Amino acid sequence: MGRATQAKTNPGRFFEDYAVGQVIEHAVPRTVGQGERALYHALYPARHALYSSDEFARSCGLPGAPLDDLAAFHVVFGKTVPDVSLNAVANLGYAEGRWLAPVYLGDTLRASSEVIGLKQNSNGKTGVVYVRTRGSNQRGETVLEYCRWVMVRKGDVEAPAPAAVVPDLKKALTVDDLTLPEGLDFSTYDFTLAGEPHRWGDYEVGETIDHVDGVTIEEAEHMLATRLWQNTAKVHFDATFRPDGQRLIYGGHVMSMARALSFNGLANAQMIVGLNGGAHANPCFSGDTVKAWSEVLDKAETPAPGVGAIRLRLVATKGGAPFALRGEDGKYLPDVLLDLDYWALMPR
């Protein structure tokens, strides 16, 4: 018999394996290319012109069409899963997300995360881990950063609870917190090619928009998307990992689907530059039909020529009535899948 050797497989981190201040450098940098964009646009009905056409992007002062903002987010997010959420019960929320530089085809993205908070749950079996993740390119430039918190299982339920540290995160970014891409200029913006005539001044705070269209989630498509982002969370792949025997749809898949559906009514909300908050309110499964609606929460001018910032709430539902969010008890209605609060850039 050969002698026993140390296991070489990675079971993932459990709640007791984290410490506040810990910095994790995530493995496997990813170079993005035209295939990444094409597959993203095949998975979602993505039609925003700035991300579809190099010529349109150049007319707006950029060197070419960037990779879709949420595609860049998913690439960075996927890097973090083996180290942050492999043993997660659920991804709970987001805050202080900022897109700091466009990601272009040929860029290589990597990610690192700092643990900024820990709090064991009262059941003693799980805890919430708070991290701040940064994605950077091959030049070492940070292209995006965000905070998220995730409920993670304990590997040893007898492990002592750490001192509770809950970070004080901003409820919303201000326009001064946002970074505008260098050279962005919407002063000669082509509304005909963009697909809708509605500009920044046409939207009012408090206005709600039903995006009308819906897409039924297919098992194969969400699995393909999750593999594309190299997301290894067990709940998305292994049907035996949940008591109900269903694979949970990756929350980012719902985010991108809702964002793409919002084109109908918000075609000119071109660039996402800030993520104020977000919650995956209820689980999504294959066979659910995703619909979306938006609410205008705020507006602000920016120093870039012809560019305004608009703060939007994007709500994805599984066929629920538009503009219904919470019940009388203050909890999300069971049809609500996603509640996302973000800043976008729009021609003035």
Side-chain angles (χ1 to χ4, degrees):
M1 293 179 61
R3 66 184 179 86
T5 58
Q6 182 179 1
K8 294 182 173 60
T9 54
N10 174 24
R13 286 177 169 85
F14 293 91
F15 178 71
E16 64 269 25
D17 297 325
Y18 296 95
V20 173
Q22 180 182 14
V23 176
I24 304 168
E25 297 290 341
H26 304 295
V28 194
R30 177 78 171 264
T31 302
V32 298
Q34 183 62 43
E36 200 98 20
R37 173 189 288 164
L39 190 48
Y40 185 85
H41 286 212
L43 288 166
Y44 311 105
R47 292 182 286 161
H48 287 86
L50 199 69
Y51 300 97
S52 299
S53 165
D54 286 335
E55 292 304 316
F56 189 95
R58 291 185 188 109
S59 74
C60 295
L62 301 181
L67 185 69
D68 294 69
D69 298 311
L70 287 181
F73 174 85
H74 297 328
V75 170
V76 171
F77 184 100
K79 306 269 156 272
T80 73
V81 170
D83 298 312
V84 175
S85 48
L86 192 65
N87 294 305
V89 178
N91 193 55
L92 299 177
Y94 308 94
E96 296 186 7
R98 299 194 303 152
W99 280 257
L100 300 170
V103 174
Y104 292 102
L105 306 186
D107 282 350
T108 297
L109 301 183
R110 60 177 299 175
S112 65
S113 296
E114 179 184 0
V115 179
I116 58 174
L118 293 170
K119 186 177 187 297
Q120 182 166 301
N121 291 326
S122 58
N123 63 13
K125 298 178 181 179
T126 60
V128 179
V129 180
Y130 298 80
V131 297
R132 185 183 300 276
T133 294
R134 293 181 172 86
S136 57
N137 62 21
Q138 67 276 17
R139 294 180 293 278
E141 301 162 342
T142 301
V143 296
L144 67 92
E145 64 179 15
Y146 61 91
C147 298
R148 72 162 169 142
W149 47 104
V150 58
M151 188 187 303
V152 179
R153 291 176 173 83
K154 292 185 72 174
D156 176 8
V157 295
E158 301 300 326
V165 176
V166 178
D168 183 17
L169 301 174
K170 292 183 178 182
K171 294 188 182 300
L173 302 172
T174 69
V175 69
D176 293 333
D177 294 320
L178 307 178
T179 298
L180 277 61
E182 184 177 353
L184 187 67
D185 184 345
F186 284 162
S187 57
T188 59
Y189 186 91
D190 191 323
F191 289 88
T192 299
L193 292 181
E196 286 183 353
H198 318 302
R199 60 180 72 223
W200 182 83
D202 296 326
Y203 294 87
E204 297 181 2
V205 174
E207 179 179 356
T208 53
I209 305 161
D210 180 2
H211 299 302
V212 181
D213 306 311
V215 174
T216 301
I217 298 289
E218 300 288 345
E219 193 81 83
E221 290 180 347
H222 94 84
M223 295 285 287
L224 184 64
T226 312
R227 292 189 189 105
L228 175 64
W229 317 126
Q230 298 176 320
N231 183 331
T232 57
K234 298 171 185 176
V235 291
H236 304 318
F237 292 101
D238 187 346
T240 69
F241 202 68
R242 288 175 52 89
D244 58 12
Q246 297 188 83
R247 287 178 286 210
L248 187 68
I249 303 297
Y250 165 44
H253 191 66
V254 178
M255 289 168 63
S256 284
M257 191 64 73
R259 161 70 171 165
L261 291 171
S262 75
F263 179 90
N264 191 350
L266 285 167
N268 296 315
Q270 288 287 356
M271 304 194 80
I272 298 178
V273 287
L275 178 61
N276 300 302
H280 298 290
N282 287 290
C284 181
F285 300 103
S286 176
D288 288 342
T289 296
V290 176
K291 295 191 174 183
W293 58 270
S294 292
E295 178 185 3
V296 180
L297 300 177
D298 200 1
K299 295 170 61 180
E301 297 182 357
T302 82
V307 178
I310 185 167
R311 181 182 169 193
L312 298 162
R313 160 175 273 152
L314 175 61
V315 177
T317 72
K318 46 183 177 182
F323 318 133
L325 187 64
R326 298 178 185 270
E328 293 182 0
D329 58 1
K331 296 181 179 179
Y332 285 110
L333 295 171
D335 280 339
V336 174
L337 297 171
L338 172 73
D339 181 11
L340 198 69
D341 179 342
Y342 69 100
W343 282 99
L345 301 180
M346 177 178 281
R348 293 173 56 191

